[in-house]
Amino acid sequence: VSNDAVNVNIPKYVVFEGEKYKVTSISLRAFTNCESLRSVSIPSSITRIEETFNHCELLTSVTLSEGLTEIESNAFHDCRSLVSISIPSSVTFIGSNAFNGCNLMDIYIRCQNPPEMYGKAYNYYNDFGGHVLIDPSFSEQTFNNATLHVPKGLKATYAYDKDWGSFVHIEEMSE
């Protein structure tokens, strides 16, 4: 992707040589270090976002559509201008460092069941005897300062979740 892309609307379909194709993925690191990217809209045909938008320091607006199920590790890592995100109800997993390094102040999560994510760093030893450290999905600053907005009636569900409970400020949405 060109480094001068500013506002990107990823299409649900593309036409190539007269044939219509559904866009189902975004290439790994496709927008990494894209210095001018300010906004991106991701269609419902994309079900998984990998390490794609990391280090897009001017990215301020991200539109995630229903249908997205996984926000993988480092997906939006170090997007320092990103202060708000709305996570659709279809998301079931948010990987380590997915939003670490962002300056998120508001996270709107629409999921009735808290998605799997990492609320703290996890240490474990793999089958080969190696030590593995998995970083949290969000930064400590985000856990301490951002407001997690959850669906009405689910504040306790998120507050008592072993990972989502890492958020100090949890509020129910009115809708």
Side-chain angles (χ1 to χ4, degrees):
V1 171
S2 167
N3 205 19
D4 24 330
V6 175
N7 302 308
V8 175
N9 185 8
I10 297 170
K12 192 171 184 174
Y13 296 96
V14 294
V15 176
F16 179 72
E17 295 183 352
E19 294 290 323
K20 186 176 180 180
Y21 296 93
K22 189 176 197 177
V23 176
T24 58
S25 65
I26 306 168
S27 178
L28 184 67
R29 298 187 186 98
F31 293 91
T32 294
N33 293 318
C34 189
E35 295 171 0
S36 60
L37 185 64
R38 300 273 196 299
S39 71
V40 64
S41 180
I42 299 169
S44 60
S45 58
I46 305 287
T47 59
R48 182 176 173 208
I49 299 173
E50 297 182 275
E51 185 178 328
T52 305
F53 298 98
N54 55 333
H55 304 287
C56 294
E57 292 189 9
L58 297 178
L59 183 62
T60 59
S61 174
V62 175
T63 304
L64 303 174
S65 298
E66 286 295 333
L68 179 68
T69 58
E70 297 178 22
I71 302 171
E72 292 290 337
S73 298
N74 300 309
F76 295 96
H77 183 254
D78 278 337
C79 292
R80 299 191 186 288
S81 298
L82 193 59
V83 296
S84 179
I85 190 76
S86 182
I87 298 172
S89 64
S90 53
V91 171
T92 59
F93 176 76
I94 300 174
S96 70
N97 281 325
F99 293 99
N100 207 340
C102 298
N103 289 310
L104 290 168
M105 292 308 297
D106 290 289
I107 301 157
Y108 297 88
I109 187 150
R110 313 241 180 245
C111 305
Q112 294 296 312
N113 296 312
E116 179 184 344
M117 69 93 142
Y118 302 103
K120 58 183 182 250
Y122 288 93
N123 288 297
Y124 73 93
Y125 290 90
N126 63 22
D127 293 341
F128 306 105
H131 177 255
V132 178
L133 173 68
I134 299 177
D135 288 319
S137 300
F138 299 89
S139 68
E140 184 175 339
Q141 173 187 334
T142 299
F143 287 125
N144 291 329
N145 300 325
T147 299
L148 179 65
H149 302 269
V150 301
K152 190 169 181 74
L154 294 179
K155 181 176 179 177
T157 300
Y158 278 87
Y160 292 113
D161 182 88
K162 70 178 179 61
D163 292 311
W164 290 98
S166 298
F167 281 92
V168 173
H169 309 286
I170 302 175
E171 294 180 3
E172 291 185 0
M173 292 182 270
S174 59
E175 44 186 78

